Amino acid sequence: MKTISLDGAMVPLAEGQTVMECALAANIPIPHLCYLPGFAPHGSCRLCTVKIDGRFASACTQPAMEGQHVEIDTEELRQVRLSLLRMLFVEGNHYCPACEKSGSCRLQKAAYDEGMLDLHYRPWYPNRQMDASHPDVLIDRDRCIFCELCVKASRDVDGKNIFGISGRGIDTRLVVNSKSGLLADTDISAQDRAVEVCPVGAILVKGRGFEVPIGKRLYD
Amino acid sequence: MIRLATCSLAGCFGCHMSFLDMDEKFLALVERVEFDRSPFTDIKSVGKCDIGLVEGGLCNEENLAALKEFRENCSILVAVGACAINGGIPAMRNRFSMDECLAEAYLDGIGIENPQIPADPELPVLLKKVCPVHEAVRIDYFLPGCPPPAGAFEVLLEALLKGEKPVLPEKLIHYD
Ligand code: SF4
Ligand code: SF4
Ligand code: FES
């Protein structure tokens, strides 16, 4: 049996698995955001950064290979994750008390897990266009972390191809595939996988408000 | 006696309410600390203190002056709550221009009589953008939450009174 070492634990590896898949199968947590089982890895958030034989790599995209030594839970990597999370927070507008996703948000949960108490960096306070045109679904682009999960879900699961990520660097943003660029002119529905899959409060179903009381939410 | 100062800048006093929420433990605390400037004492300017707790972000020049005064006088300065840490709800005005904000509040808003933008010289000048306190001064510790739970204040002060570094357990870390 081929094995890989994850923080010293010898874990079996199957043909074609990534480091992340090996770790998940062995119940060894590697923090991650843009990766979701069932979707092709995207490798954009870098939260899953690990050290493989002394070199940084993203666990969700790195093929697992016999005999690799993977470091996950080290102080150095904790600092890397903390910096990445802080950068994700400052390049958006994350006012959790006013966000309907709060308590069920994977970005927020990841930051709790890393013990993030402050932003450290200067918040950028972006001003990207909000899209409230659709009767049932809302987009707040200032909470998007560009994970592309909605893009893949809409294209590959819903068969609608509604979302895309456009632009580069700090100008990157979520775009909607309709002539007007507005959600109202697409055939999106609140039941779409693309809506449900968003890990943050960037794509929200309207009319739900703060439906689940504090204390009963997913990560409370 | 440890001297403790607290203030609310661009905040809602919710963090102070949560601080008081430690109920009977607050009585034990006041045996060990003396309050300097704080809404609890109504002292208006801060003297030399061991610990300063700052609620709220910076939205006007008065906030900025108060924060600097706290930094100069407090050995340990703690940013308390979401607004102090990332600007919070008041920072939601940052996506609008100052003119738009003032017009919405004083000229075009619903139910406004005698619309005019206040210009009394006593009023502090607004900053162009609301910003967190770590933008202006060095901050020693952060207590997240909107508001931070009473238990987080307990953990913080318990450690600081012993001269230790506070470590918040994960269940006391939340941003809402
Ligand atoms: S998307 Fe998540 S981190 Fe951002 S404001 Fe909403 S709950 Fe907070
Ligand atoms: S809208 Fe949500 S799912 Fe889509 S890219 Fe942004 S964060 Fe990811
Ligand atoms: S989870 Fe691997 S890069 Fe985002």
Side-chain angles (χ1 to χ4, degrees), chain A residues 143-151 165 174 194 197-200 202-203:
Chain A
R143 296 184 189 137
C144 174
I145 56 167
F146 316 114
C147 68
E148 286 208 2
L149 284 171
C150 60
V151 178
I165 300 290
L174 181 72
V197 83
C198 179
V200 293
I203 304 179

Side-chain angles (χ1 to χ4, degrees), chain B residues 22-54:
Chain B
M22 57 170 93
D23 300 331
E24 76 281 1
K25 294 197 180 116
F26 195 76
L27 296 176
L29 184 73
V30 291
E31 310 225 313
R32 294 157 77 193
V33 306
E34 206 166 339
F35 280 93
D36 194 274
R37 173 180 165 167
S38 167
F40 307 146
T41 58
D42 219 21
I43 299 172
K44 302 294 186 207
S45 69
V46 59
K48 283 287 169 214
C49 280
D50 302 288
I51 305 168
L53 304 183
V54 178

Side-chain angles (χ1 to χ4, degrees), chain B residues 2-6 29 33-37 46-54 70 73-78 140-141 156-163:
Chain B
I2 298 281
R3 285 194 77 80
L4 176 68
T6 77
L29 184 73
V33 306
E34 206 166 339
F35 280 93
D36 194 274
R37 173 180 165 167
V46 59
K48 283 287 169 214
C49 280
D50 302 288
I51 305 168
L53 304 183
V54 178
F70 263 68
N73 286 286
C74 302
S75 311
I76 297 172
L77 194 60
V78 187
D140 300 296
Y141 298 107
L156 175 91
L157 293 171
E158 199 55 48
L160 293 182
L161 290 180
K162 279 195 228 146

